Amino acid sequence: MNQQMEVAVLGGGCFWCLAAVYGEVRGVARVESGYAGGGVPDPTYEQVCAGDTGHAEVVRLEFDPAVISYHDLLEIFFTLHDPTTLNRQGNDVGTQYRSVIYSQSAEQEKVARKVLAEMAGVWDAPLVTQLAPAPAFYKAEQYHQNYVEQHPLQGYCALVVAPKVEKFRAMYAGRLK
């Protein structure tokens, strides 16, 4: 990672959804699916899905703040998932699907607090998005990386992820790579 790049770690349901969208965002150089926020070192997908590790499914983004700001990445984040449902995104239920922002610095925390306050006025229900300092990030298994790109016709990808990608493309056409 070069010196101009920054890192963002976000959880908002299944990491496949977030990864598919952020992979299309101009200024995002790298997207990794993984796990963060739990107590088990280097967990497996099966362990995280069982809900016993405390980890959330997250994406780790490397982005160029000269091209896209952290604020704008967070605005996109809040259009990709429902930040008012505790430990749930649609049919995905469990703490691993929580809405969470893991700040990498005091500046990111400040920006996240500002965006959370802005978004509180947009949603009809209270936000349940957690904001916490960045814990260890564990990269998910290789088959989860670029999953939607590799399996576009898989049921979940076609029925759940594809509409989120289309929504992003419609709302943020100027942000596409």
Side-chain angles (χ1 to χ4, degrees):
M1 185 169 79
N2 69 38
Q3 292 175 333
Q4 289 85 8
M5 300 300 262
E6 290 185 24
V7 170
V9 177
L10 307 169
C14 176
F15 48 32
W16 295 343
C17 295
L18 295 179
V21 169
Y22 282 115
E24 295 194 1
V25 175
R26 191 170 8 97
V28 174
R30 183 176 186 163
V31 179
E32 291 180 315
S33 295
Y35 316 109
V40 175
D42 205 23
T44 65
Y45 181 67
E46 290 73 21
Q47 288 174 309
V48 173
C49 284
D52 299 328
T53 67
H55 288 287
E57 288 192 16
V58 297
V59 289
R60 181 182 182 277
L61 312 174
E62 290 180 16
F63 68 100
D64 183 344
V67 178
I68 187 163
S69 69
Y70 185 65
H71 182 282
D72 290 352
L73 286 175
L74 293 181
E75 279 191 345
I76 292 168
F77 173 69
F78 281 104
T79 65
L80 298 179
H81 77 295
D82 182 347
T84 68
T85 55
L86 186 62
N87 301 327
R88 175 185 203 122
Q89 289 299 308
N91 291 329
D92 293 332
V93 179
T95 58
Q96 67 271 29
Y97 302 116
R98 67 187 174 270
S99 178
V100 61
I101 300 168
Y102 288 119
S103 61
Q104 308 296 308
S105 65
E107 179 60 26
Q108 279 193 359
E109 179 182 350
K110 180 180 165 188
V111 171
R113 288 191 187 286
K114 181 179 188 294
V115 174
L116 281 163
E118 292 168 2
M119 291 297 131
V122 172
W123 292 86
D124 293 334
L127 301 185
V128 296
T129 303
Q130 298 171 352
L131 173 58
F137 170 82
Y138 300 99
K139 187 175 175 182
E141 294 82 352
Q142 192 56 41
Y143 70 93
H144 288 297
Q145 309 306 321
N146 301 311
Y147 189 86
V148 175
E149 188 177 294
Q150 296 174 46
H151 307 282
L153 301 179
Q154 189 259 9
Y156 189 90
C157 296
L159 298 173
V160 177
V161 182
K164 289 185 182 200
V165 172
E166 289 306 316
K167 179 180 177 182
F168 163 75
R169 289 175 180 162
M171 289 182 70
Y172 295 99
R175 293 270 182 213
L176 288 170
K177 286 183 177 173

